[in-house]
């Protein structure tokens, strides 16, 4: 059926209104979806970890994220993002994989940029390489001395290559005693042999970071209460 010349403008106007309504509805749905995604991101607990290898290593981060073992990973520096779930809550986990410079003459430490970024630190040495363990000692001291990270910032020391016991150059007891004296967590693992040990390391650093953050919030709350009470009693004295 053909539309008469007089009615055609009216139908065109009605069609434009209907199309406009559909576009408006789609736009609102898109905006609502973006707001919902932003809301989900805002309620996720976001934690940032520096994983610092003292030797050319098997990548613990890749093992943790994919369960696959990669041999000599080389000097690739990367930041990985991962959603993990602990205690029924999802956590947005960011892991900065970094390698200690392999020059014998270097005395470099984790950079200031990394210090400001990190909530916690994992230092990895090889139990078959004493020099890598000595560098870990040095790095812990440098980290604790810097003002960028407080003494309460969690550090975990990891001795890797536990499967190569016949090549061991650093005893488990020596590593554990040093970690204890420096207020650090300690693990000896074999990233090559088992995924479970790597998983324990990451879950432990997550727990320590959450405890550290809760402690800081508690201290801030206590200071606020003290200030409020002081203000009240100060007014009464006046």
């Amino acid at each position: 059926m053909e539309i008469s010349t007089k009615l055609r403008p009216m139908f065109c106007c009605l069609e434009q209104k209907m199309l406009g309504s559909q576009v408006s509805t789609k736009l609102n749905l898109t905006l609502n979806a973006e707001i919902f995604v932003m809301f989900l991101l805002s309620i996720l607990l976001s934690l940032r970890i520096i994983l610092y290898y003292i030797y050319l290593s098997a990548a613990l981060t890749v093992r943790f994220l994919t369960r696959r073992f990669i041999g000599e990973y080389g000097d690739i520096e990367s930041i990985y993002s991962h959603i993990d779930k602990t205690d029924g809550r999802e956590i947005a986990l960011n892991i900065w994989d970094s390698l200690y410079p392999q020059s014998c003459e270097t005395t470099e430490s984790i950079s200031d940029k990394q210090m400001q970024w990190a909530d916690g630190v994992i230092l990895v040495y090889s139990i078959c390489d004493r020099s890598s363990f000595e560098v870990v000692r040095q790095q812990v001291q440098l980290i604790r001395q810097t003002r960028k990270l407080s003494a309460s910032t969690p550090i975990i020391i990891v001795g890797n290559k536990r499967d190569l016991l016949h090549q061991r150059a650093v005893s488990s007891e020596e590593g554990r005693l040093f970690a204890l004296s420096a207020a650090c967590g300690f693990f000896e693992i074999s990233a090559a042999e088992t995924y479970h040990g790597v998983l324990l390391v990451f879950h432990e650093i997550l727990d320590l970071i959450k405890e550290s953050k809760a402690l800081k919030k508690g201290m801030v709350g206590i200071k606020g209460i003290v200030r409020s009470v002081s203000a009240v009693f100060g007014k009464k004295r006046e």
Side-chain angles (χ1 to χ4, degrees), residues 212-228:
S212 176
K213 284 181 173 288
L215 182 61
K216 288 177 183 176
K217 285 182 180 179
M219 291 302 294
V220 170
I222 291 171
K223 288 178 181 178
I225 293 171
V226 170
R227 282 196 296 267
S228 299

Side-chain angles (χ1 to χ4, degrees), residues 11-236:
F11 275 96
C12 288
C13 182
L14 180 61
E15 185 180 11
Q16 287 176 355
K17 287 183 178 180
M18 291 177 68
L19 286 172
S21 176
Q22 290 176 357
V23 171
S24 177
T25 301
K26 288 180 180 178
L27 182 60
N28 286 336
L29 287 173
T30 302
L31 288 173
N32 288 336
E34 289 179 354
I35 291 169
F36 182 63
V37 170
M38 290 174 66
F39 170 71
L40 285 177
L41 290 174
S42 69
I43 62 175
L44 285 175
L45 177 61
S46 180
L47 302 180
R48 295 167 296 188
I49 299 167
I50 294 288
L51 205 151
Y52 203 49
Y53 301 100
I54 309 303
Y55 68 104
L56 289 175
S57 65
L60 268 65
T61 302
V62 174
R63 182 70 150 144
F64 170 64
L65 297 178
T66 68
R67 299 194 178 206
R68 292 184 295 113
F69 173 70
I70 298 176
E72 294 299 318
Y73 195 59
D75 57 352
I76 300 172
E77 185 162 311
S78 305
I79 296 180
Y80 299 88
S81 295
H82 173 69
I83 303 297
D84 196 42
K85 193 169 185 178
T86 58
D87 300 327
R89 183 177 182 182
E90 289 190 335
I91 298 173
L93 185 60
N94 297 291
I95 307 166
W96 188 336
D97 254 14
S98 187
L99 177 68
Y100 181 77
Q102 298 301 295
S103 168
C104 297
E105 298 176 357
T106 186
T107 56
E108 291 185 26
S109 178
I110 298 174
S111 69
D112 287 346
K113 182 180 179 181
Q114 290 173 318
M115 295 286 195
Q116 293 171 341
W117 183 85
D119 295 312
V121 179
I122 300 174
L123 297 171
V124 186
Y125 70 94
S126 167
I127 69 166
C128 306
D129 182 358
R130 170 156 289 277
S131 64
S132 68
F133 178 68
E134 296 302 330
V135 173
V136 163
R137 287 178 180 271
Q138 177 194 58
Q139 294 301 306
V140 170
Q141 293 175 354
L142 290 172
I143 291 169
R144 292 299 190 206
Q145 288 170 3
T146 182
R147 295 181 181 178
K148 303 294 182 183
L149 286 176
S150 69
S152 63
T153 299
I155 300 175
I156 286 183
I157 297 171
V158 178
N160 192 27
K161 300 193 176 183
R162 191 178 180 184
D163 53 306
L164 303 177
L165 292 177
H166 59 289
Q167 297 180 26
R168 180 187 285 276
V170 183
S171 71
S172 178
E173 188 69 13
E174 185 176 7
R176 186 174 290 104
L177 287 174
F178 170 69
L180 184 63
S181 68
C184 300
F186 178 76
F187 287 87
E188 257 198 17
I189 64 169
S190 168
E193 280 194 341
T194 176
Y195 161 76
H196 183 67
V198 176
L199 183 66
L200 289 177
V201 170
F202 278 94
H203 279 190
E204 179 67 12
I205 194 70
L206 291 181
D207 288 342
L208 292 175
I209 290 172
K210 286 188 287 185
E211 288 175 12
S212 176
K213 284 181 173 288
L215 182 61
K216 288 177 183 176
K217 285 182 180 179
M219 291 302 294
V220 170
I222 291 171
K223 288 178 181 178
I225 293 171
V226 170
R227 282 196 296 267
S228 299
V229 171
S230 298
V232 169
F233 280 98
K235 289 180 180 178
K236 286 184 177 181

